[in-house]
Amino acid sequence: MPVISYIDAVTQALMEEMKRDPRVFVLGEDVGVRGGVFRATVGLIEEFGEDRVLDTPLTESAIAGVAIGAAAYGMRPVAEMQFADFIMPAVNQIVSEAAKIRYRSNGTWSCPLVIRAPYGGGVHGALYHSQSVEKIFTGVPGLKIVMPSTPYDVKGLLKSAIRDEDPVLFFEHKRCYRLIKGEVPVEDYTVPIGKAEVKREGTDVTVISYGLTLHFALQAAEQLAKEGISVHVLDLRTLIPLDKEAVLEAVAKTGKVLIVHEDNLTGGFGGEVAAVIAEEAFFELDAPIKRLCGPDVPAMPYSPPLEKEFMLNPEKIAKAIRELAEF
Amino acid sequence: MPVISYIDAVTQALMEEMKRDPRVFVLGEDVGVRGGVFRATVGLIEEFGEDRVLDTPLTESAIAGVAIGAAAYGMRPVAEMQFADFIMPAVNQIVSEAAKIRYRSNGTWSCPLVIRAPYGGGVHGALYHSQSVEKIFTGVPGLKIVMPSTPYDVKGLLKSAIRDEDPVLFFEHKRCYRLIKGEVPVEDYTVPIGKAEVKREGTDVTVISYGLTLHFALQAAEQLAKEGISVHVLDLRTLIPLDKEAVLEAVAKTGKVLIVHEDNLTGGFGGEVAAVIAEEAFFELDAPIKRLCGPDVPAMPYSPPLEKEFMLNPEKIAKAIRELAEF
Amino acid sequence: MSELKHTALGLSDEQVLDMYRYMLLARKIDERMWLLNRAGKIPFVISCQGQEGIQVGAAFALDREKDWLCPYYRDLGMVLVFGQSAKDQMLSAFAKKEDPNSGGRQMPGHYGDRRFRILTGSSPVTTQVLHAVGIAYAGKLEKKDHVVLTSCGEGSSNQGDWHEACNFAGVHNLPVIFMVENNKYAISVPLNKQVAGGDVSKRAQGYGFPGVKVDGNNPLEVYKAVKEAVERARRGEGPTLIEAVSYRLVPHSSDDDDRSYRAREEVEEAKKNDSLVIFRNYLMEAGILTEEKEQELNKQIAREVDEATDYAEKAPYPDPEETYKHVYA
Amino acid sequence: MSELKHTALGLSDEQVLDMYRYMLLARKIDERMWLLNRAGKIPFVISCQGQEGIQVGAAFALDREKDWLCPYYRDLGMVLVFGQSAKDQMLSAFAKKEDPNSGGRQMPGHYGDRRFRILTGSSPVTTQVLHAVGIAYAGKLEKKDHVVLTSCGEGSSNQGDWHEACNFAGVHNLPVIFMVENNKYAISVPLNKQVAGGDVSKRAQGYGFPGVKVDGNNPLEVYKAVKEAVERARRGEGPTLIEAVSYRLVPHSSDDDDRSYRAREEVEEAKKNDSLVIFRNYLMEAGILTEEKEQELNKQIAREVDEATDYAEKAPYPDPEETYKHVYA
Ligand SMILES: Cc1ncc(C[n+]2csc(CCOP(=O)(O)OP(=O)(O)O)c2C)c(N)n1
Ligand SMILES: Cc1ncc(C[n+]2csc(CCOP(=O)(O)OP(=O)(O)O)c2C)c(N)n1
Ligand SMILES: [Mg+2]
Ligand SMILES: [Mg+2]
């Protein structure tokens, strides 16, 4: 299997889905001629022309709203928000419209729309090019939220998202774009939305994570293995719908849980995961449920020492796992 | 002490704060001549004139954005969103601006702004006049989020919010407006932001709630007392900053916790509360942490049988408490 | 009714009579809903009264077989012309299971009907204006020649989404008709506190497409403007903005009391220009409507509304379990 | 440089020379930042190059003692005139503790300085346009007579917030100057795919206030337009929209590569109209600037930039614990 980068997996999925289905089109700021500011849509305009690879005006609410109209009509738009931070002007369209179209029309209309957005920090992006924004949407029924960590999952899940009958928010960690590489089949395949995956088997402590921190957790696990601590790592991959079964199974494996995400702690999705565990796997637990997350500050600062302080890393995670293991 | 309604407490707080501080002004749709569609701002324009009681154009992002500018300048704007559901177009201004002004300017600027919004269902408001929207904001550091349940708390907390140096979202349950009455002092007083309150002492099961469901919980507790079950009821009043101390104390009282809110379960604030308990009061627990919340559907439907199905009530809460008590 | 004659617009006597019938039907359904509301039978009404001329005039200028509507909550007249019935309205008002818009999930006035290419709408104003642009863009991709008409109130046209929609449609020259139904109030807020400059139609110049202001109390004038806009759109010449001026004859909704913010005299004055009065007179003068025909029409419509009310009142509610359906496919 | 003479505008020789000095200072700081970026010393630059004439022309027309700025990320020229120094810029570029805008928390170009009434800004475009309206409204409440100038790019002016801001300011006749710096590109997207109709200035008509389009490469023309707008505003006559046309001479930012979307010839052509070239020629022809004076000026500015760079490079970073400060009061 060829080894490709996380961002190439995005491009390949788009390319293949646009070939497969003429209803698929992409739209966003600079996605056409420029191929996206991260180059995720590179090569598409040459292949499919400017109508299907649409450089929109600088208006996120319009990107979402126009895509919603087109999706309700029967197309399969894939909208790009240039940075997840800039999804905010589109919140009304996403929350009030996309998420509610099926429900409010008693199932007679639908909104098969994908919104892709690069999120996350560690790239000197400062406050407004580093945020994790999933918490804004995880409480909004009607949306699906996908946050893959590997090229394989990116490609398979993006394809599933495009083929899904409902609106999917597809968040790509921008630090992973060129950092993370992995094997990806040449043949068409999909990864189902709503299924977590065990990325490492272990017996002492369970780490539940997604995105960049998932890789940090794997690195921490590798390190801790040498110290004799066996870490079980679950990659949520999809936040909504949450794969509760996989979560509960992973908890049962070790009885000790550390939930890790880059998004800030309070009000982050880790709270939901912890709550599910505290309700449904209470008797499996041998220790308090721990969360290790971004700090509760408005966003990640620019200055290197502050950015470093904000970001998680394998060492911070290893430390938290050790504490749990010793519990 | 005079007994007044929940909404009158809003009006009184506004009236008194506007008298106290000339920098305070209110703005929003229909807040002036009409006195607000719920009449929360009734009488203010007569007292303070149309400049300080400003009927704005129908533009929520502008209401928030103009208020933010005025607040940064040094005024004390109190903006009204006509319904909490319609705060969505203002999310960018609230999340990207209000919440981050102090932090991004290294403390040199601030945004002492209050945004009031009626939320919640049970009023035949259908999908878009019934939502609880706190979950959109509870994960956004820099904001404070207040959700009072009694006229006393409404008045005291709204005053605190107006005097606060940071942006406060002040959510008023619209079903409480005329339903809930209570004693309120004539003299000036405040209720501190960030302090929960035990609204009933008990020994068997702890219920943690806020808003309308707090009253349902109290009614359920009253009923259950007759059955011999003693219920401890904590009113969060402020969601952010969360009064962890009070939460942990309330948990310790009984060892059994039921978290109740009208907002839907998944991604709701109850998850955060449960996570805090599961981490910090794990050894106090005698049973799994239970949540009883609105269902995970996009919003509350209009048709009476569906609205009833969606809404919580004292019976549903009593049932959940009974189950926990018997655990 | 000025000089404008229906024949000059290519409308037959039958067609204008049909227009009047739709206007009257909309009015009578609306009036009935207020009665039902005041009798405690339905929780909420939001009215088309005063705007029937705009809605019916506009809808008649569209192709009801292929064009699309992204309407707003007052557009009862429009959705009737496109195919919805009095029964559909009453099922919605009573929030019954059979309501074709939402199965009783949404308030009345939240139209949405696949049968007639009426996109499902919501309460937050102006979101539909962007959806209309999306449907127009989809048509471009699929090489269809449908036109999309979307409407909102003059207050709502100040929302950011409206600007973004006009700009997007302008850049891509899309077949969208932006209709703004200026009824002079947004709940209690009058035009001068709402729309800077006072002229919504002028805003089109900033997007490089035509903007026209028409007398919304004259359905023929609206028809003419929309017809021209449809032709431009169909020829690939892009969007048109139409500001149709009328007056909201009743309170904002059944929850409103408009006495606190506008004088009764103003309302009474406006009633003289009610499109129903004006168009009736025109048809009478033209001999197309007679006292006799009118009686017949009134009877027919009354029956239609009665039957619809009856049917809807007796129709079943959705089951409580329906609450959990249609969250995802 | 057309007929427009500085003396006719009431500007002294000294003042125009000062304007030129600010333009040059902005350019030199900006150029230095690119060098530092390419040398791996600072992670990011976003440029004012090509827009100095707009920024300095505009700022000179304001009252630096009482007026307010809600600028955008390219407005280096503006903030320098209002009082920020080269050192301030370098402290920000190096993300050092002493950076007056944010203590190193924000990227360069995210201005904010209480000392000079420059409101703290963010990255999401156009939000500041509403803040400007709020500051103007606050002035009205407090019976102050400050004017607020807010600026953004032509792409950003399509955001909903821009429309809502213009409308709000128009309704309340507020002393706001909406400056749109049209540099023909929004990252890679050219004007014709961005601004329907192509004329931002025309949009003012839809809000009932004047909109003018000026040559942004001519600081005197910008000065004149802003001066008039300030006078209108101060007289209580409300907002003005000014579209100042220039060209973005460099890539969007240090992360961009503009070769993929625009021809080198186009950029070279634009350089001929660079406001620095044009204004320099004007001052030379007018005998206000001489080769000698220029050398002196260049030396002075080079020293200023050198010293600022040096200082900032050596200045301390904020402590990691600073991460947790200033979330709430
Ligand atoms: C985003 C949003 N904000 C507020 C409301 C509440 N609201 C409903 S209708 C209305 C007034 C609308 O006025 P206008 O656009 O002139 O339309 P009209 O009702 O007069 O036809 C308001 C404020 C809403 N539905 N959506
Ligand atoms: C809301 C938002 N969306 C997207 C971006 C990313 N972005 C930054 S600058 C820019 C282009 C701005 O173009 P224009 O307004 O013309 O200003 P210019 O950079 O040309 O001066 C974009 C898309 C952003 N900062 N904010
Ligand atoms: Mg209106
Ligand atoms: Mg530009």
Side-chain angles (χ1 to χ4, degrees):
Chain A
M1 267 193 284
V3 170
I4 65 170
S5 68
Y6 187 101
I7 192 165
D8 287 343
V10 174
T11 314
Q12 285 189 8
L14 292 172
M15 185 72 83
E16 294 174 21
E17 289 303 297
M18 289 183 79
K19 278 196 184 134
R20 192 187 56 77
D21 185 346
R23 297 170 306 167
V24 179
F25 71 103
V26 310
L27 72 168
E29 294 154 11
D30 307 288
V31 298
V33 178
R34 179 86 183 103
V37 296
F38 289 99
R39 326 286 293 138
T41 54
V42 75
L44 298 182
I45 196 167
E46 290 79 3
E47 188 73 25
F48 304 105
E50 63 173 14
D51 287 348
R52 284 182 72 198
V53 187
L54 176 61
D55 273 327
T56 65
L58 177 32
T59 49
E60 287 75 13
S61 191
I63 293 170
V66 167
I68 289 166
Y73 174 88
M75 307 301 288
R76 299 270 162 170
V78 182
E80 176 177 302
M81 298 286 150
Q82 196 160 83
F83 286 81
D85 315 66
F86 306 140
I87 203 170
M88 298 305 164
V91 163
N92 189 37
Q93 284 288 347
I94 296 169
V95 172
S96 304
E97 301 299 319
K100 295 183 174 61
I101 279 183
R102 181 182 296 283
Y103 193 75
R104 79 182 182 214
S105 67
N106 204 28
T108 56
W109 292 91
S110 65
C111 187
L113 156 71
V114 178
I115 297 181
R116 295 179 40 247
Y119 76 99
V123 298
H124 307 305
L127 275 74
Y128 297 99
H129 301 80
S130 304
Q131 288 175 81
S132 300
V133 303
E134 59 269 30
K135 63 189 162 206
I136 305 280
F137 302 102
T138 45
V140 181
L143 301 176
K144 296 182 180 178
I145 303 178
V146 175
M147 303 187 76
S149 68
T150 67
Y152 182 91
D153 289 345
V154 164
K155 187 167 175 187
L157 278 162
L158 184 49
K159 287 187 165 218
S160 291
I162 293 172
R163 298 177 195 182
D164 202 276
E165 297 299 327
D166 287 300
V168 179
L169 303 185
F170 195 91
F171 293 121
E172 303 158 8
H173 199 295
K174 68 176 84 74
R175 182 82 181 93
C176 291
Y177 269 160
R178 288 164 213 287
L179 183 72
I180 304 298
K181 298 192 166 64
E183 291 195 333
V184 170
V186 180
E187 317 75 63
D188 184 48
Y189 71 98
T190 59
V191 171
I193 292 176
K195 290 282 166 222
E197 187 181 57
V198 176
K199 286 276 179 2
R200 181 186 177 106
E201 295 275 351
T203 51
D204 294 329
V205 172
T206 296
V207 175
I208 301 177
S209 190
Y210 55 90
L212 179 64
T213 51
L214 190 277
H215 295 283
F216 293 162
L218 289 173
Q219 288 169 47
E222 198 63 34
Q223 168 61 31
L224 291 166
K226 296 178 200 147
E227 301 174 21
I229 300 173
S230 165
V231 183
H232 191 76
V233 180
L234 183 73
D235 184 357
L236 288 180
R237 302 199 293 194
T238 298
L239 305 199
I240 303 290
L242 176 64
D243 188 352
K244 280 193 193 183
E245 218 172 296
V247 168
L248 301 177
E249 229 170 74
V251 171
K253 275 272 183 175
T254 71
K256 291 175 173 180
V257 188
L258 175 70
I259 301 164
V260 182
H261 56 58
E262 186 176 313
D263 200 357
N264 58 278
L265 180 101
T266 300
F269 191 66
E272 179 60 33
V273 176
V276 166
I277 297 169
E279 177 152 6
E280 302 187 28
F282 184 70
F283 297 105
E284 307 282 357
L285 291 171
D286 301 322
I289 303 170
K290 289 279 171 192
R291 288 183 289 168
L292 181 66
C293 305
D296 282 336
V297 304
M300 197 177 302
Y302 184 55
S303 196
L306 309 190
E307 183 181 79
K308 184 155 170 258
E309 179 71 20
F310 186 111
M311 287 292 285
L312 295 178
N313 59 34
E315 294 69 46
K316 292 182 191 177
I317 296 173
K319 181 163 169 280
I321 296 173
R322 253 182 236 116
E323 282 168 20
L324 252 187
E326 284 160 18
F327 200 89
Chain B
M1 268 195 281
V3 169
I4 66 170
S5 68
Y6 186 101
I7 193 166
D8 286 343
V10 174
T11 314
Q12 284 189 7
L14 292 172
M15 184 72 84
E16 293 174 21
E17 288 304 296
M18 289 182 78
K19 278 198 185 132
R20 190 187 55 80
D21 184 347
R23 298 170 307 167
V24 179
F25 72 103
V26 309
L27 72 167
E29 296 154 10
D30 307 288
V31 298
V33 178
R34 178 86 183 102
V37 296
F38 288 99
R39 327 286 291 138
T41 54
V42 74
L44 298 182
I45 197 169
E46 290 78 3
E47 188 73 24
F48 304 104
E50 61 174 15
D51 288 347
R52 283 182 73 198
V53 188
L54 175 61
D55 274 325
T56 66
L58 176 31
T59 49
E60 286 77 11
S61 191
I63 293 169
V66 167
I68 288 166
Y73 175 87
M75 307 300 289
R76 299 270 161 172
V78 182
E80 176 177 300
M81 298 286 150
Q82 197 161 82
F83 286 82
D85 314 66
F86 306 140
I87 204 170
M88 299 302 165
V91 163
N92 189 38
Q93 284 288 347
I94 297 168
V95 172
S96 305
E97 302 300 321
K100 296 182 173 61
I101 278 182
R102 181 182 296 282
Y103 193 75
R104 77 181 184 216
S105 67
N106 204 29
T108 56
W109 293 90
S110 66
C111 187
L113 156 71
V114 178
I115 297 182
R116 295 178 40 247
Y119 77 100
V123 298
H124 308 304
L127 275 74
Y128 296 99
H129 301 81
S130 304
Q131 289 174 81
S132 300
V133 304
E134 59 270 30
K135 62 187 162 207
I136 305 281
F137 303 102
T138 45
V140 181
L143 301 176
K144 297 183 180 179
I145 303 179
V146 175
M147 303 187 75
S149 68
T150 66
Y152 181 91
D153 289 345
V154 164
K155 187 167 175 187
L157 278 162
L158 184 49
K159 287 186 165 218
S160 290
I162 293 171
R163 298 178 196 182
D164 201 276
E165 296 300 328
D166 288 299
V168 180
L169 304 185
F170 195 91
F171 294 120
E172 302 158 7
H173 199 297
K174 68 176 85 72
R175 181 84 179 92
C176 292
Y177 270 159
R178 286 163 215 289
L179 184 71
I180 304 298
K181 298 191 167 64
E183 290 194 336
V184 170
V186 179
E187 318 73 64
D188 184 46
Y189 72 98
T190 59
V191 171
I193 291 177
K195 290 281 165 220
E197 188 181 58
V198 175
K199 286 277 180 358
R200 182 186 176 106
E201 295 274 351
T203 53
D204 293 328
V205 173
T206 296
V207 176
I208 301 176
S209 191
Y210 56 90
L212 179 63
T213 52
L214 191 277
H215 295 283
F216 293 163
L218 289 173
Q219 286 168 47
E222 197 63 36
Q223 168 60 31
L224 291 166
K226 295 178 200 145
E227 301 175 22
I229 300 173
S230 165
V231 182
H232 191 76
V233 181
L234 183 73
D235 183 356
L236 288 180
R237 303 199 292 193
T238 296
L239 306 198
I240 304 289
L242 175 63
D243 187 351
K244 280 194 192 182
E245 217 172 297
V247 168
L248 300 177
E249 226 171 77
V251 171
K253 275 273 183 175
T254 71
K256 292 176 173 180
V257 187
L258 176 70
I259 301 163
V260 182
H261 57 59
E262 185 177 312
D263 199 357
N264 57 277
L265 179 100
T266 299
F269 192 67
E272 180 60 32
V273 177
V276 166
I277 297 169
E279 178 152 3
E280 302 186 27
F282 184 70
F283 297 104
E284 306 282 357
L285 290 172
D286 300 323
I289 303 168
K290 291 277 171 195
R291 288 182 290 168
L292 181 67
C293 305
D296 281 336
V297 304
M300 198 177 300
Y302 185 54
S303 196
L306 309 189
E307 183 181 77
K308 184 155 171 258
E309 179 70 21
F310 186 112
M311 287 292 285
L312 294 179
N313 59 34
E315 294 70 44
K316 292 181 190 177
I317 296 173
K319 184 162 167 282
I321 297 173
R322 252 182 236 115
E323 282 167 21
L324 253 188
E326 284 159 17
F327 198 88
Chain C
M1 192 81 173
S2 78
E3 318 300 86
L4 200 66
K5 293 278 179 286
H6 63 283
T7 43
L9 296 171
L11 286 166
S12 68
D13 289 2
E14 223 172 24
Q15 281 174 307
V16 282
L17 197 58
D18 204 30
M19 282 173 77
Y20 183 67
R21 199 185 64 75
Y22 277 114
M23 288 168 62
L24 198 61
L25 178 61
R27 174 67 56 94
K28 293 297 171 191
I29 293 170
D30 200 288
E31 285 176 353
R32 177 65 56 88
M33 286 192 186
W34 281 91
L35 287 177
L36 291 166
N37 174 266
R38 292 321 188 209
K41 293 198 170 188
I42 63 172
F44 186 74
V45 190
I46 190 140
S47 233
C48 66
Q49 292 188 41
Q51 296 167 228
E52 294 90 341
I54 302 174
Q55 297 161 4
V56 173
F60 263 75
L62 295 166
D63 184 331
R64 284 173 253 179
E65 299 303 318
K66 67 178 174 196
D67 290 337
W68 283 69
L69 293 181
C70 298
Y72 90 120
Y73 46 83
R74 298 204 191 279
D75 283 327
L76 176 52
M78 236 181 249
V79 301
L80 291 175
V81 176
F82 258 60
Q84 285 203 336
S85 65
K87 197 166 92 177
D88 292 336
Q89 307 317 319
M90 287 301 170
L91 283 163
S92 160
F94 280 97
K96 295 300 176 74
K97 184 179 164 73
E98 251 187 280
D99 155 33
N101 303 295
S102 74
R105 290 173 178 210
Q106 294 218 73
M107 292 176 150
H110 288 60
Y111 306 109
D113 202 322
R114 268 217 169 274
R115 297 172 297 177
F116 309 118
R117 298 166 315 290
I118 302 167
L119 183 65
T120 170
S122 63
S123 309
V125 298
T126 326
T127 50
Q128 76 278 10
V129 180
L130 279 167
H131 306 164
V133 178
I135 295 173
Y137 193 76
K140 177 176 167 176
L141 286 174
E142 301 224 308
K143 309 215 183 314
K144 297 277 170 63
D145 75 337
H146 60 242
V147 169
V148 191
L149 184 141
T150 182
S151 52
C152 65
E154 83 291 349
S156 304
S157 76
N158 297 309
Q159 286 277 347
D161 274 5
W162 192 86
H163 174 61
E164 297 193 8
C166 287
N167 186 56
F168 199 113
V171 165
H172 293 285
N173 226 30
L174 298 173
V176 184
I177 300 170
F178 298 100
M179 165 71 81
V180 174
E181 305 189 23
N182 176 356
N183 62 9
K184 311 241 177 80
Y185 285 89
I187 307 187
S188 72
V189 181
L191 190 65
N192 71 320
K193 284 197 179 168
Q194 189 65 254
V195 176
D199 268 306
V200 178
S201 61
K202 281 198 186 163
R203 295 185 174 176
Q205 297 171 38
Y207 307 107
F209 55 77
V212 296
K213 192 167 190 159
V214 298
D215 177 3
N217 293 325
N218 182 340
L220 296 182
E221 224 183 274
V222 178
Y223 173 86
K224 180 165 178 283
V226 176
K227 192 87 193 164
E228 282 166 14
V230 168
E231 282 160 9
R232 286 193 69 241
R234 209 91 75 194
R235 284 195 305 266
E237 292 169 20
T240 304
L241 166 62
I242 299 172
E243 177 184 1
V245 184
S246 66
Y247 191 86
R248 198 191 73 210
L249 295 175
V250 291
H252 172 71
S253 74
S254 51
D255 289 343
D256 185 32
D257 178 355
D258 62 345
R259 286 168 303 184
S260 62
Y261 56 82
R262 60 183 187 182
R264 290 310 84 194
E265 299 72 48
E266 182 188 301
V267 179
E268 288 316 312
E269 194 55 37
K271 282 188 180 162
K272 294 183 192 153
N273 295 314
D274 181 351
S275 63
L276 273 154
V277 174
I278 288 186
F279 203 41
R280 177 183 173 279
N281 290 347
Y282 173 80
L283 295 176
M284 285 282 190
E285 274 168 34
I288 298 170
L289 190 66
T290 59
E291 300 282 346
E292 201 179 325
K293 273 197 196 155
E294 188 176 31
Q295 271 185 14
E296 176 53 32
L297 194 60
N298 278 328
K299 250 199 333 224
Q300 200 190 79
I301 285 175
R303 197 168 49 237
E304 208 171 322
V305 176
D306 283 349
E307 284 172 9
T309 309
D310 252 34
Y311 182 92
E313 195 166 3
K314 290 182 192 129
Y317 277 125
D319 292 333
E321 306 82 65
E322 291 280 326
T323 308
Y324 306 99
K325 291 195 184 145
H326 305 306
V327 179
Y328 299 101
Chain D
M1 193 86 172
S2 79
E3 318 300 87
L4 200 64
K5 294 280 180 287
H6 64 281
T7 42
L9 295 170
L11 285 165
S12 69
D13 291 0
E14 220 172 29
Q15 280 175 306
V16 282
L17 197 57
D18 204 31
M19 283 173 77
Y20 182 67
R21 198 185 65 76
Y22 277 114
M23 287 168 61
L24 198 60
L25 178 61
R27 175 67 55 94
K28 293 298 173 190
I29 293 171
D30 199 288
E31 285 175 351
R32 177 64 57 87
M33 286 193 187
W34 280 90
L35 288 176
L36 291 166
N37 174 264
R38 292 322 188 210
K41 293 199 170 186
I42 64 172
F44 186 75
V45 189
I46 191 143
S47 234
C48 65
Q49 293 189 38
Q51 295 167 230
E52 294 89 342
I54 301 174
Q55 296 160 6
V56 172
F60 262 77
L62 295 166
D63 185 330
R64 285 172 252 176
E65 298 304 319
K66 67 178 173 195
D67 291 336
W68 283 70
L69 293 181
C70 298
Y72 90 122
Y73 47 82
R74 297 201 192 281
D75 282 328
L76 177 53
M78 234 180 251
V79 300
L80 290 175
V81 177
F82 258 59
Q84 284 203 336
S85 66
K87 196 167 91 177
D88 292 336
Q89 307 318 317
M90 287 302 169
L91 284 163
S92 161
F94 280 96
K96 295 301 174 71
K97 185 178 164 72
E98 251 188 280
D99 155 34
N101 302 294
S102 75
R105 291 173 177 209
Q106 293 218 72
M107 291 176 149
H110 289 59
Y111 307 109
D113 202 321
R114 267 215 171 274
R115 296 172 297 176
F116 310 116
R117 297 165 318 288
I118 301 167
L119 183 65
T120 169
S122 63
S123 308
V125 299
T126 326
T127 49
Q128 76 278 10
V129 181
L130 279 166
H131 306 164
V133 178
I135 295 172
Y137 193 76
K140 178 176 167 176
L141 285 174
E142 299 225 310
K143 310 217 185 311
K144 297 278 168 64
D145 75 340
H146 61 242
V147 170
V148 191
L149 183 140
T150 182
S151 53
C152 65
E154 83 291 349
S156 304
S157 76
N158 296 309
Q159 286 277 348
D161 274 5
W162 192 86
H163 173 63
E164 297 192 9
C166 288
N167 187 57
F168 199 112
V171 165
H172 293 284
N173 226 31
L174 298 173
V176 183
I177 301 171
F178 298 99
M179 165 71 80
V180 175
E181 304 188 23
N182 177 357
N183 62 8
K184 310 242 178 79
Y185 285 89
I187 307 187
S188 72
V189 181
L191 189 66
N192 70 322
K193 285 197 178 168
Q194 188 67 253
V195 176
D199 269 306
V200 177
S201 61
K202 282 198 184 162
R203 293 184 176 175
Q205 296 172 38
Y207 306 107
F209 54 77
V212 295
K213 192 170 190 153
V214 298
D215 177 3
N217 294 326
N218 183 339
L220 296 182
E221 223 182 275
V222 178
Y223 174 86
K224 179 167 180 281
V226 176
K227 194 87 194 162
E228 280 165 16
V230 168
E231 282 161 9
R232 286 193 68 241
R234 210 94 70 195
R235 285 196 303 266
E237 291 168 22
T240 303
L241 166 62
I242 300 172
E243 178 186 2
V245 183
S246 66
Y247 191 86
R248 199 191 71 212
L249 295 174
V250 291
H252 172 72
S253 75
S254 51
D255 289 343
D256 185 30
D257 179 353
D258 62 344
R259 287 169 302 183
S260 63
Y261 56 82
R262 60 182 185 182
R264 291 309 85 191
E265 298 72 47
E266 183 187 300
V267 180
E268 288 314 312
E269 194 54 37
K271 283 188 179 164
K272 295 184 191 153
N273 294 314
D274 180 351
S275 63
L276 273 154
V277 174
I278 288 187
F279 202 42
R280 176 183 175 278
N281 291 347
Y282 173 80
L283 295 176
M284 285 281 191
E285 276 168 33
I288 298 170
L289 191 65
T290 60
E291 299 284 347
E292 199 180 328
K293 272 196 196 159
E294 191 174 32
Q295 272 184 12
E296 177 53 32
L297 195 58
N298 279 328
K299 251 202 325 227
Q300 197 189 82
I301 286 176
R303 196 170 48 237
E304 206 171 327
V305 176
D306 283 346
E307 284 172 9
T309 309
D310 252 31
Y311 183 92
E313 196 167 1
K314 292 185 191 128
Y317 279 125
D319 292 332
E321 308 79 65
E322 291 280 323
T323 307
Y324 307 99
K325 291 196 184 144
H326 304 306
V327 179
Y328 299 101

